[in-house]
């Protein structure tokens, strides 16, 4: 496997960063806390998500002050290219995975945090813990495998080599064997329980009981059929009698209906005669009303000076035409009045507007006059303030005689000073770090000299690197301390110069601002004086306009009075026309009423004649109904009805007796069926229990065979795991010695040992075995690196058919190594490359590793924002 690209956004200290990775050794370097290890962690997080975060949470991963983070990882594996995209975001107060998608070489995708993690685990054949234990040596955890107990070390290595699966299989086989035995015991208990249930069901014999009950039930059902046939015959006879009674009842009902119809006709005939008499009275009343209306008509015709009622419509048309003419004349006069009033209102409004404008001009003139005085006062005050600021600028310039200020280059001079300050601040920081490092080395050397021997290995310390460099370190410490004092003095002077420049800039900006304000005030003052002159001219024009407008209003009011007098005269003429129209309409109403009365009289005459004809028809119907009643009454036989009712009563008694017998026999049959059903239920239960017992016996036999097979499988898994572990321990011991010899050659040690229980030891030349914990700090670091690289080689070489291993990731591997062993580490990395390690990622400050790297990545942190960035540098010099 090889990581080819990593892109992060808002991930821990990185706001945005992209790293392109190649095969070979890549060294990531930068200051402490810059975020180098964060890049390695981001690779693990991209692969496995939250499972790779140790004690951190998703909230720790998202950059402080932001709401979301993005991690994109591209890697190749077994000739295929893969891409993972993880997006985190806050939902409420808690962060969660918003999106997680893995794109496969075939173009398919896997979505969801858990499915992606499971896919990667299956693809690489290791989960997050296995990845860390095999390929990632973390800073501060370099002794993890070394300090682990043999059992813990065995568990880690077995898990990496997938031997843990054989242990899981053996445990599953044991669990299966115990489960089979438990099931077999349960089956025997069930067999005994079923046998106990069968015994009471076999005595007495349920099959003999079933035959007896079925025979008795057949006899009862035969008698039921006989009584049912007898009941059907009685019901048929009863139905015939009921039909005959129904026919007699129908005759009675028809007689009653015809009698009611005859009474209704008689009542209707009487009512119709009363109606004809009422119509005669109403005709007499209408004739009297018609006579009165004709008299009123003649009087109105004479009053209106008409020859007859035929001239009524023409007279109305004439009156209405004259009314329309007068109304048009009135409307025209009113329009003239309205138009004249509009002119008056317009002139009045104009007069008021002129007055308001004159008042407004007077107010504005006063305001402008006051503003002119205020502008003149402000100009005097600002001029005095400007003079004071210019004097202050001259005084500040005099404080820097050795650094004369050039106004044209002031910004450039300030920028140069700030650049020098940043450079010397960086030099001061580096000098202080150098002083701290030298002080630590001197303290360690003096401590070793005081002890005379190494507290770990017991060897003399005269030739130790720290002791040999003690005098040189002291000289360098004194020189570095002088550099610190010199740089601090220079920084103070630069800071004073920058402060003075900034104060001059501030005062200069104030002076420019005041000059601008004075110019603006002078411009405003000139505009306001011109405005005052224009206002005086407007006052003269408005006074002339007000005088002419007042005369015009008086003329318009006189014209309005004349028009209103003409409207009054037209209104009197209209009133006289309306009175004549009212009289004409009254005459028309009388003529209309006379016509309506004539129409009602004709209608009543016709209705009276129609009622007379209807009365003749109803008398004929009454005669027909009376004849039909006589015919039906003669056909009705009351004695036949009594005989039929007596016969029906006797049949009902026989039918009730038959129903009683049927109910009794039905109850007997139901009891027999109930007893038969109970016996049949017992038989069915007995047969089911026997079948159940046979099934349980067969399953018991199969479980016995399965128990023997699971026990054999468990023993086979145990044997295979022991054989594979023995082979892996032997291979791992060989690879461990090869790697240790390559990294650390010493006449004091012979070889390293790893037994079957994964217990580690180191043999000295005299044959004495030491526990790794007895080695010095640097030797333990070399021992652990050798062990981790040996495990890595074993995984890469010993898993048949596996794809290439993940990148080897080393976080500060030189912390406990001296210069000599750093060069050995370089040879080890080169050897691991030759052995098939395609990609190695190293986090380190050491210059030797930087020079030997095939790819350099610099990580820098901005102290002002506390955000880190990444720079891709050129390849190592040994490859160019």
């Amino acid at each position: 496997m090889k990581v080819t690209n990593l892109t992060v956004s808002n991930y821990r200290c990185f706001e945005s960063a992209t790293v392109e990775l190649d095969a070979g050794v890549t060294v990531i370097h930068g200051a402490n806390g810059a975020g180098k290890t964060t890049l390695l962690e981001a690779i693990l997080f991209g692969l496995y998500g939250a499972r790779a975060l140790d004690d951190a949470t998703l909230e720790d991963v998202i950059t402080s002050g932001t709401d979301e983070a993005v991690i994109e990882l591209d890697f190749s594996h077994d000739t295929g290219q893969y891409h993972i995209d993880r997006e985190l975001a806050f939902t409420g107060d808690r962060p969660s995975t918003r999106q997680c998608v893995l794109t496969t070489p075939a173009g398919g995708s896997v979505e969801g945090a858990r499915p992606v993690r499971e896919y990667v685990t299956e693809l690489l054949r290791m989960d997050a813990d296995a990845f860390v234990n095999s390929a990632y040596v973390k800073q501060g955890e370099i002794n993890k495998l070394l300090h682990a107990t043999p059992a813990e070390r065995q568990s880690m290595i077995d898990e990496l080599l997938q031997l843990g699966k054989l242990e899981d299989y053996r445990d599953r086989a044991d669990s299966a064997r115990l489960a089979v035995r438990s099931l077999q015991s349960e089956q025997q208990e069930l067999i005994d329980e079923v046998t106990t249930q069968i015994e009471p069901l076999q005595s007495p014999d349920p099959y003999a009981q079933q035959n007896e009950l079925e025979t008795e039930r057949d006899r009862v059902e035969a008698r039921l059929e006989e009584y049912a046939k007898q009941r059907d015959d009685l019901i048929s006879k009863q139905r015939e009698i009921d039909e005959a009674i129904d026919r007699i009842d129908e005759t009675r009902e028809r007689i009653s209906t015809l009698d009611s119809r005859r009474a209704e006709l008689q009542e209707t005939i009487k009512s119709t005669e009363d109606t004809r008499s009422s119509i005669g009275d109403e005709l007499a009343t209408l004739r009297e009303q018609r006579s009165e209306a004709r008299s009123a008509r003649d009087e109105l015709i004479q009053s209106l000076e008409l020859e007859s009622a035929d001239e009524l419509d023409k007279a109305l048309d004439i009156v209405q035409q004259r009314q329309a003419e007068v109304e048009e004349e009135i409307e025209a006069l009113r329009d003239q009045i309205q138009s004249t009033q509009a002119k008056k209102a317009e002139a009045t409004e104009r007069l008021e507007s002129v007055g308001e404008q004159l008042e407004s001009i007077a107010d504005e003139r006063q305001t402008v006059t006051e503003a002119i005085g205020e502008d003149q006062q402000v100009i005097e005050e600002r001029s005095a303030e400007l003079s004071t600021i210019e004097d202050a600028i001259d005084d500040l310039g005099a404080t820097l005689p050795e650094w004369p200020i050039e106004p044209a280059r002031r910004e450039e001079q300030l920028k140069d000073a700030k650049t020098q300050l940043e450079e010397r601040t960086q030099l001061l920081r580096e000098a202080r770090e150098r002083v701290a490092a030298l002080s630590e080395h001197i303290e360690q050397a003096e401590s070793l000299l005081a002890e005379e021997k190494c507290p770990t290995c017991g060897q003399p310390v005269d030739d130790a690197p720290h002791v040999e460099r003690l005098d040189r370190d002291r000289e360098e410490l004194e020189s570095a301390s002088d550099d610190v004092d010199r740089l601090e003095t220079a920084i103070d002077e630069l800071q004073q110069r920058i402060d003075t420049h900034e104060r001059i800039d501030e005062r200069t900006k104030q002076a420019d601002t005041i000059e601008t304000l004075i110019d603006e005030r002078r411009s405003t003052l000139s505009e306001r004086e011109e405005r005052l002159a224009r206002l005086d001219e407007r006052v003269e024009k408005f006074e002339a306009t007000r005088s002419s407008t007042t005369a015009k209003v008086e003329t318009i009011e006189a014209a309005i009075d004349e028009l209103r007098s003409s409207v009054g005269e037209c209104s009197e003429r209209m009133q006289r026309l309306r009175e004549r129209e009212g009289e004409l309409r009254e005459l028309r109403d009388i003529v209309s009423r006379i016509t309506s009365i004539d129409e009602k009289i004709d209608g009543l005459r016709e209705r009276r004649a129609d009622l007379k004809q209807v009365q003749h028809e109803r008398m004929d119907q009454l005669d027909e109904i009376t004849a039909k009643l006589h015919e039906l009454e003669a056909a009705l036989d009351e004695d036949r009805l009594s005989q039929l009712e007596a016969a029906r009563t006797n049949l009902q008694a026989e039918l009730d007796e038959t129903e009683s017998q049927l109910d009794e026999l039905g109850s007997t049959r139901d009891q027999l069926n109930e007893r038969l059903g109970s016996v049949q239920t017992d038989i069915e239960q007995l047969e089911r229990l026997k079948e159940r017992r046979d099934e349980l016996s067969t399953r018991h036999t199969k479980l016995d065979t399965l128990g023997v097979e699971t026990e054999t499988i468990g023993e086979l898994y145990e044997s295979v795991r022991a054989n594979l572990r023995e082979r892996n321990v032997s291979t791992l011991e060989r690879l461990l010695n090869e790697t240790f010899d390559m990294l650390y050659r010493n006449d004091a040690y012979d070889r390293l040992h790893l037994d079957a229980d994964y217990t580690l030891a180191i043999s000295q030349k005299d044959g004495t075995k030491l526990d790794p914990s007895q080695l010095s700090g640097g030797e333990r670091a070399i021992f652990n690196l050798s062990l981790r690289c040996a495990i890595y080689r074993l995984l890469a070489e010993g898993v048949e058919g596996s794809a290439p291993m993940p990148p080897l990731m080393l976080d500060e591997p030189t912390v406990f190594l001296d210069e000599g062993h750093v060069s050995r580490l370089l040879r080890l990395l080169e050897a691991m490359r030759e052995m098939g390690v395609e990609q190695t990622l190293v986090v380190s400050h050491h210059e030797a590793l930087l020079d030997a790297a095939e790819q350099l990545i610099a990580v820098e942190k901005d102290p002002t924002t506390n955000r880190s960035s990444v720079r891709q540098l050129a390849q190592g010099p040994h490859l160019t």
Side-chain angles (χ1 to χ4, degrees):
M1 171 195 170
K2 181 180 70 176
V3 177
T4 57
N5 185 278
L6 172 67
T7 299
V8 295
S9 175
N10 294 332
Y11 184 87
R12 290 193 182 270
C13 58
F14 290 98
E15 181 176 0
S16 178
T18 298
V19 179
E20 296 181 358
L21 299 171
D22 296 327
V25 178
T26 298
V27 175
I28 305 171
H29 72 97
N32 288 335
K36 304 182 297 298
T37 303
T38 300
L39 293 178
L40 299 184
E41 179 194 276
I43 293 174
L44 286 174
F45 184 79
L47 290 170
Y48 296 102
R51 292 292 177 87
L53 289 180
D54 290 340
D55 297 330
T57 64
L58 291 180
E59 186 173 358
D60 300 327
V61 167
I62 301 176
T63 302
S64 177
T66 63
D67 296 329
E68 59 183 11
V70 178
I71 301 91
E72 295 185 43
L73 182 69
D74 292 284
F75 64 94
S76 61
H77 181 76
D78 198 16
T79 72
Q81 292 293 328
Y82 297 84
H83 175 79
I84 297 178
D85 183 4
R86 291 183 184 269
E87 296 182 11
L88 309 178
F90 275 91
T91 303
D93 296 333
R94 300 185 61 184
S96 62
T97 300
R98 180 173 61 191
Q99 175 177 295
C100 182
V101 180
L102 181 147
T103 305
T104 64
S109 62
V110 180
E111 297 185 8
R114 177 179 293 178
V116 169
R117 183 179 68 248
E118 293 174 350
Y119 186 93
V120 171
T121 300
E122 180 68 22
L123 180 69
L124 302 183
R125 300 186 182 180
M126 59 178 67
D127 58 12
D129 292 336
F131 189 105
V132 170
N133 290 331
S134 65
Y136 185 18
V137 181
K138 292 186 177 181
Q139 182 179 359
E141 295 185 2
I142 197 166
N143 294 323
K144 183 176 180 181
L145 275 173
L146 196 62
H147 288 167
T149 64
E152 292 173 342
R153 195 178 300 116
Q154 175 181 325
S155 176
M156 292 181 192
I157 298 175
D158 279 357
E159 186 65 27
L160 292 174
L161 298 176
Q162 301 185 15
L163 296 183
K165 292 185 178 179
L166 293 173
E167 180 69 16
D168 293 341
Y169 294 156
R170 186 182 66 80
D171 291 341
R172 292 178 189 175
D174 289 343
S175 299
R177 178 178 56 81
L178 294 175
V180 168
R181 295 305 181 194
S182 176
L183 287 173
Q184 191 176 14
S185 176
E186 293 176 1
Q187 295 302 308
Q188 186 58 51
E189 292 178 359
L190 291 173
I191 291 172
D192 295 340
E193 181 181 350
V194 171
T195 302
T196 303
Q197 295 174 358
I198 288 174
E199 291 175 355
L201 292 174
Q202 291 179 328
S203 180
D205 185 3
Y207 297 101
Q209 289 182 338
Q210 182 182 23
N211 292 333
E212 292 176 1
L213 290 171
E214 286 178 348
T215 301
E216 180 64 18
R217 184 188 61 185
D218 293 341
R219 185 184 64 80
V220 170
E221 287 181 346
R223 292 189 62 195
L224 277 170
E225 291 178 359
E226 294 176 0
Y227 278 105
K229 185 176 182 304
Q230 180 179 346
R231 180 190 58 190
D232 293 341
D233 293 341
L234 291 173
I235 290 173
S236 178
K237 293 178 181 179
Q238 188 181 48
R239 187 178 299 112
E240 293 175 357
I241 293 174
D242 288 340
E243 290 175 356
I245 293 174
D246 290 341
R247 285 193 295 273
I248 294 174
D249 289 338
E250 288 176 1
T251 302
R252 283 179 170 178
E253 186 176 353
R254 289 182 65 190
I255 291 173
S256 175
T257 301
L258 289 172
D259 191 42
S260 299
R261 178 60 178 159
R262 181 177 59 180
E264 291 174 1
L265 276 173
Q266 290 172 345
E267 181 65 26
T268 301
I269 290 170
K270 181 178 179 303
S271 175
T272 301
E273 286 298 323
D274 294 340
T275 301
R276 292 183 75 246
S277 176
S278 174
I279 290 173
D281 297 339
E282 187 176 355
L283 282 171
T285 301
L286 288 172
R287 291 188 183 100
E288 183 178 352
Q289 291 176 354
R290 183 176 58 182
S291 177
E292 293 174 356
R294 287 175 176 173
S295 299
R297 179 193 62 186
D298 295 339
E299 291 177 1
L300 277 174
I301 289 173
Q302 184 177 3
S303 173
L304 291 171
E305 299 178 354
L306 298 176
E307 294 183 0
S308 66
D310 296 336
E311 298 180 358
L312 176 61
D313 292 336
K314 181 178 179 182
L316 271 173
D317 291 341
I318 293 172
V319 168
Q320 289 175 350
Q321 182 178 359
R322 291 178 180 175
Q323 285 179 341
E325 292 173 354
V326 174
E327 285 179 354
E328 289 178 359
E329 186 176 352
I330 293 173
E331 187 65 27
L333 290 171
R334 286 175 178 171
D335 289 343
Q336 291 180 18
I337 292 173
Q338 186 175 359
S339 175
T340 307
Q341 286 176 336
K343 292 178 181 179
K344 176 186 175 183
E346 182 179 352
T348 304
E349 183 179 355
R350 175 62 177 165
L351 192 61
E352 292 174 355
S353 175
V354 169
E356 291 174 356
Q357 290 183 5
L358 285 171
E359 292 177 1
S360 174
I361 291 171
D363 293 340
E364 185 178 357
R365 191 176 186 285
Q366 182 180 356
T367 301
V368 172
T369 302
E370 293 174 354
I372 288 172
E374 181 182 349
D375 289 341
Q376 292 171 345
Q377 182 180 356
V378 170
I379 289 171
E380 293 175 0
E381 293 174 353
R382 293 295 184 183
S383 298
E385 185 179 355
L386 177 61
S387 177
T388 301
I389 292 174
E390 289 174 346
D391 293 342
I393 292 173
D394 294 338
D395 293 340
L396 287 172
T399 60
L400 298 175
E402 65 275 17
W403 293 315
I405 298 175
E406 302 176 21
R409 297 182 63 249
R410 188 167 58 245
E411 293 184 2
E412 182 180 353
Q413 288 177 321
L414 178 59
K415 183 177 180 181
D416 293 342
K418 288 184 177 180
T419 302
Q420 294 177 27
L421 178 62
E422 292 177 357
E423 292 174 352
R424 294 185 182 183
T425 301
Q426 179 63 27
L427 292 173
L428 177 60
R429 188 182 299 110
E430 294 174 355
R432 285 175 175 169
E433 292 177 356
R434 182 62 178 164
V435 168
L438 289 170
S439 298
E440 183 178 356
H441 288 168
I442 291 170
E443 184 179 351
Q444 291 177 356
E446 290 175 347
S447 176
L448 288 174
L449 283 174
E451 296 290 339
E452 295 183 355
K453 291 183 178 181
C454 178
T456 303
C457 64
Q459 297 179 359
V461 299
D462 293 338
D463 297 330
H466 291 331
V467 175
E468 289 179 353
R469 294 181 53 188
L470 179 59
D471 294 336
R472 186 173 58 189
D473 288 347
R474 286 172 177 166
E475 293 175 0
E476 291 181 5
L477 176 62
E478 183 177 356
S479 174
S481 299
D482 293 340
D483 291 342
V484 169
D485 296 337
R486 177 176 53 79
L487 288 169
E488 287 176 345
T489 301
I491 287 171
D492 291 340
E493 292 176 354
L494 283 169
Q495 187 62 54
Q496 180 182 0
R497 180 181 175 188
I498 290 170
D499 292 343
T500 301
H501 273 284
E502 289 178 346
R503 291 174 62 190
I504 290 174
D505 284 344
E506 182 181 355
R507 291 302 179 93
T508 302
K509 291 177 182 177
Q510 290 178 355
D512 294 341
T513 302
I514 291 173
E515 287 181 352
T516 302
L517 292 174
I518 290 173
D519 293 340
E520 291 175 353
R521 281 286 184 171
R522 286 173 177 167
S523 175
T524 303
L525 177 60
S526 176
E527 292 174 357
R528 285 173 175 166
E529 289 174 346
E530 294 176 357
R531 177 62 178 167
L532 186 62
R534 290 195 299 271
L535 289 174
D536 291 338
E537 294 176 358
R538 292 181 63 192
V539 168
E540 294 179 1
K541 293 179 181 179
F542 281 124
E543 287 291 348
T545 301
R546 181 163 60 181
S547 177
S548 62
T549 304
T550 302
K552 184 177 180 180
V553 168
E554 293 174 353
T555 302
I556 291 173
E557 287 177 345
I560 290 173
D561 292 339
E562 292 179 1
L563 290 171
R564 285 176 176 168
S565 175
S566 299
V567 169
E569 294 175 359
C570 290
S571 297
E572 292 176 359
R573 290 163 54 198
M574 177 63 74
Q575 180 63 31
R576 291 193 295 271
L577 289 171
R578 286 175 178 168
E579 290 175 358
R580 180 170 178 78
E581 182 186 12
E583 292 175 350
L584 290 171
R585 291 187 182 280
E586 181 181 359
L587 176 60
R588 185 172 62 183
D589 291 342
I590 292 173
V591 172
S592 176
R593 188 163 62 251
I594 292 171
T595 302
S596 176
I597 291 172
D598 289 338
E599 292 175 352
K600 289 181 180 179
I601 290 173
D602 293 339
L604 288 174
R605 286 174 177 171
E606 291 178 0
R607 186 182 175 196
R608 191 175 183 189
D610 293 339
L611 289 175
K612 183 177 180 181
Q613 178 63 31
V614 169
Q615 285 291 76
H616 290 303
E617 295 174 355
R618 287 174 179 166
M619 291 298 295
D620 294 339
Q621 292 178 7
L622 182 60
D623 293 339
E624 292 178 0
I625 291 172
T626 301
K628 188 64 175 176
L629 276 173
H630 292 326
E631 181 182 348
L632 291 173
E633 287 173 353
L636 183 61
D637 188 355
E638 295 291 343
D639 294 337
R640 173 62 176 165
L641 178 61
S642 300
Q643 294 173 359
L644 290 172
E645 288 177 348
R648 183 170 62 179
T649 301
N650 294 333
L651 283 173
Q652 185 61 46
E654 293 182 21
L655 184 60
D656 292 341
E657 177 64 23
T658 303
E659 290 288 354
S660 176
Q661 291 292 331
L662 284 170
D663 292 340
E664 183 177 351
L665 289 171
S667 175
T668 301
R669 182 185 60 185
D670 293 341
Q671 292 174 2
L672 290 172
N673 283 331
E674 184 177 352
R675 290 174 59 192
L676 184 60
S678 177
V679 172
Q680 289 173 343
T681 301
D682 291 343
I683 291 173
E684 291 173 358
Q685 184 179 2
L686 177 61
E687 292 176 351
R688 284 197 302 270
L689 289 172
K690 287 180 178 179
E691 184 178 352
R692 174 66 172 157
R693 182 174 59 184
D694 294 340
E695 292 175 355
L696 291 172
S697 298
T698 302
R699 189 174 183 187
H700 184 275
T701 302
K702 291 180 179 179
L703 286 172
D704 186 51
T705 303
L706 183 59
V708 175
E709 292 176 354
T710 53
E711 186 172 359
T712 302
I713 291 172
E715 294 172 354
L716 175 61
Y717 283 141
E718 177 66 22
S719 174
V720 170
R721 187 180 63 130
N723 291 336
L724 288 175
R725 181 181 293 164
E726 181 179 356
R727 290 169 52 192
N728 289 329
V729 167
S730 175
T731 303
L732 183 59
E733 184 181 30
R734 174 179 60 80
L735 295 174
L736 177 58
N737 277 281
E738 290 177 3
T739 308
F740 186 76
D741 186 58
M742 183 186 307
L743 188 60
Y744 186 71
R745 289 175 180 167
N746 191 301
D747 294 336
Y749 302 120
D750 182 22
R751 65 180 282 105
L752 304 179
H753 298 278
L754 180 68
D755 62 17
D757 294 328
Y758 290 92
T759 300
L760 291 167
I762 183 168
S763 293
Q764 300 185 91
K765 293 296 184 179
D766 60 2
T768 305
K769 289 187 177 182
L770 296 177
D771 188 270
S773 62
Q774 295 177 282
L775 300 176
S776 67
E779 289 173 334
R780 286 199 304 275
I782 294 171
F783 191 101
N784 185 68
L785 279 173
S786 301
L787 178 58
R788 298 298 291 269
C789 290
I791 293 174
Y792 190 92
R793 289 177 58 190
L794 178 61
L795 290 173
E797 298 174 6
V799 181
E800 183 178 357
S802 65
M805 285 289 290
L808 179 61
M809 296 165 31
L810 305 177
D811 192 354
E812 298 290 359
T814 63
V815 171
F816 299 102
L817 301 182
D818 56 25
E819 295 297 330
H821 290 98
V822 170
S823 63
R824 295 283 186 95
L825 175 62
L826 294 176
R827 288 198 296 272
L828 174 63
L829 294 177
E830 185 63 29
M832 293 293 286
R833 174 68 181 274
E834 294 172 357
M835 295 173 187
V837 179
E838 186 177 4
Q839 189 177 50
T840 303
L841 307 178
V842 183
V843 170
S844 178
H845 297 84
H846 206 284
E847 294 295 333
L849 287 178
L850 299 183
D851 294 338
E854 296 170 276
Q855 184 182 15
L856 290 178
I857 297 174
V859 181
E860 300 170 345
K861 178 173 283 189
D862 187 344
T864 60
T865 63
N866 206 31
R867 295 290 182 266
S868 299
S869 60
V870 173
R871 286 189 298 116
Q872 303 261 168
L873 303 181
Q875 291 182 325
H878 77 291
L879 296 178
T880 58

